[in-house]
Amino acid sequence: MDVDRKKICFDMADSPELSESALQRSDVYFKRSFNSRFVQPNLISKVKPYGLNYLVYPNGFDLFGFRRCAKFYKTPNWFKEVIKQADFLGKMHYKVSTSSLNAAAVMREPPKVLFLARLWDINSDSYFEVDEAYSQQRRDINEQRAKCITLLRDALGSHFTGGLLATDFALKEHPKLVIKNTNLTSKQNYISALKDHDICVASTGLHGSIGWKFGEYIATSKAIVAETNENEVPKLQVNKHYLEFSSADECVESVLYLKNNDDLRSQMMCDNQHYYETSLRPDRLLWNCLEQVL
């Protein structure tokens, strides 16, 4: 992006590693998975944390998005992407609009807990080469997610909604943890379920990234329990916007603490609603970045 005669790069990759070619071409470099350990001291004023990332579309017809898609998509099925952009009412393909993925804080009793997750295939991937180190990272992620779901089911019973997406790999590795109600995992039904829950669990993603669900939880003003993450997000604070865990046992402890502490849960929901309005709502997120450049 060219702004005020400055070239700005937005790096949205999961990995905290920086692109050397993009760095050379940029005056300012916003990094989604920002980790200062991957930024050389002489670049610290140039590389800045971007913030949370999640999938959302504009309300109504997005002429810019339609033109961009028609011009730049070069895949064999590019016309399907154009149709998706044109179908802003969601008659053929559901798209999450900004307004639909936003909700005010609501206190309910008893609070319900949500954690839907997927397992990563440790042997293959449609996009990446899975070497031994990458495979081990996936094993660790899978083990943590499966154990969290197991313990949360035991601790919360009917107050917990969660499980693994029904992929071939999950059915093979942890069939008892796979969600039987596949309708729940469709995007539209998931958003409805998200709004109907109070405490949401987030686990660390590939490359140590903060998963997209975290942004969805903030946007819907939820109380959050999240796995420890080394990436930096502007103005996001542990114990204010979320409670942190590093093991499945700690995850359950934090969830129960929020469940039994109405004042903390209510305050966290309100703080996350405020964070959305000031730091995550798409226009505010981008403007917060541009203010550092202009």
Side-chain angles (χ1 to χ4, degrees):
M1 179 185 291
D2 290 329
V3 176
D4 195 26
R5 298 182 181 178
K6 295 178 181 177
K7 292 189 180 297
I8 307 173
C9 171
F10 291 91
D11 181 346
M12 312 304 291
D14 290 340
S15 171
E17 295 179 357
L18 307 178
S19 166
E20 289 297 331
S21 61
L23 275 170
Q24 293 175 8
R25 300 195 309 270
S26 307
D27 296 305
V28 184
Y29 188 110
F30 286 101
K31 177 62 180 168
R32 171 195 158 205
S33 294
F34 179 89
N35 186 326
S36 58
R37 293 193 297 108
F38 289 79
V39 183
Q40 297 177 12
N42 62 312
L43 294 174
I44 203 68
S45 62
K46 179 177 182 177
V47 181
K48 304 176 183 295
Y50 168 76
L52 294 171
N53 183 59
Y54 69 119
L55 180 63
V56 69
Y57 293 88
N59 298 320
F61 179 61
D62 178 15
L63 178 60
F64 176 79
F66 179 81
R67 292 171 58 190
R68 177 185 58 201
C69 184
K71 183 174 182 179
F72 292 112
Y73 270 73
K74 303 298 182 184
T75 65
N77 296 321
W78 69 270
F79 61 93
K80 292 183 180 180
E81 297 297 331
V82 174
I83 291 173
K84 288 180 185 180
Q85 290 290 339
D87 181 31
F88 66 93
L89 294 176
K91 298 296 184 182
M92 295 178 287
H93 175 81
Y94 178 71
K95 294 194 302 186
V96 188
S97 66
T98 303
S99 59
S100 66
L101 192 51
N102 174 226
V106 178
M107 284 291 289
R108 284 174 287 234
E109 291 293 344
K112 295 191 295 183
V113 180
L114 179 70
F115 182 39
L116 303 177
R118 65 172 295 177
L119 294 186
W120 295 104
D121 194 320
I122 63 173
N123 300 309
S124 62
D125 192 290
S126 301
Y127 300 99
F128 307 105
E129 180 181 347
V130 182
D131 58 20
E132 181 52 37
Y134 200 16
S135 180
Q136 184 58 50
Q137 182 190 66
R138 292 182 172 211
R139 287 190 189 94
D140 295 340
I141 291 173
N142 291 347
E143 181 181 347
Q144 181 83 304
R145 291 178 177 180
K147 192 169 183 180
C148 284
I149 290 169
T150 299
L151 295 184
L152 287 168
R153 281 184 176 182
D154 292 341
L156 297 166
S158 61
H159 295 155
F160 175 66
T161 302
L164 301 172
L165 275 63
T167 61
D168 291 340
F169 186 80
L171 287 166
K172 174 185 173 185
E173 296 292 320
H174 292 283
K176 292 183 180 180
L177 299 183
V178 170
I179 300 167
K180 293 180 173 60
N181 180 11
T182 55
N183 289 331
L184 181 62
T185 58
S186 74
K187 193 67 177 181
Q188 189 168 7
N189 291 338
Y190 163 72
I191 297 301
S192 296
L194 174 59
K195 292 180 178 179
D196 194 39
H197 286 72
D198 312 276
I199 302 169
C200 296
V201 178
S203 60
T204 300
L206 295 178
H207 306 285
S209 65
I210 297 176
W212 293 22
K213 281 186 172 62
F214 203 115
E216 295 171 343
Y217 297 164
I218 293 284
T220 48
S221 306
K222 302 304 174 185
I224 302 171
V225 174
E227 191 170 3
T228 303
N229 196 290
E230 295 184 359
N231 292 332
E232 178 184 333
V233 178
K235 301 180 182 179
L236 195 70
Q237 300 178 36
V238 181
N239 298 327
K240 179 178 181 179
H241 300 107
Y242 65 101
L243 298 185
E244 196 172 59
F245 71 89
S246 58
S247 69
D249 289 326
E250 289 180 359
C251 174
V252 176
E253 290 174 7
S254 295
V255 167
L256 291 177
Y257 186 68
L258 277 175
K259 180 176 181 293
N260 297 325
N261 192 322
D262 291 349
D263 290 340
L264 174 62
R265 190 170 74 255
S266 174
Q267 186 61 54
M268 184 178 290
M269 288 177 165
C270 291
D271 287 338
N272 285 337
Q273 182 177 349
H274 179 73
Y275 188 91
Y276 171 79
E277 293 293 345
T278 59
S279 300
L280 181 62
R281 200 180 70 194
D283 56 342
R284 288 302 315 176
L285 177 60
L286 184 58
W287 179 245
N288 289 345
C289 292
L290 294 180
E291 271 191 322
Q292 300 177 61
V293 178
L294 299 175

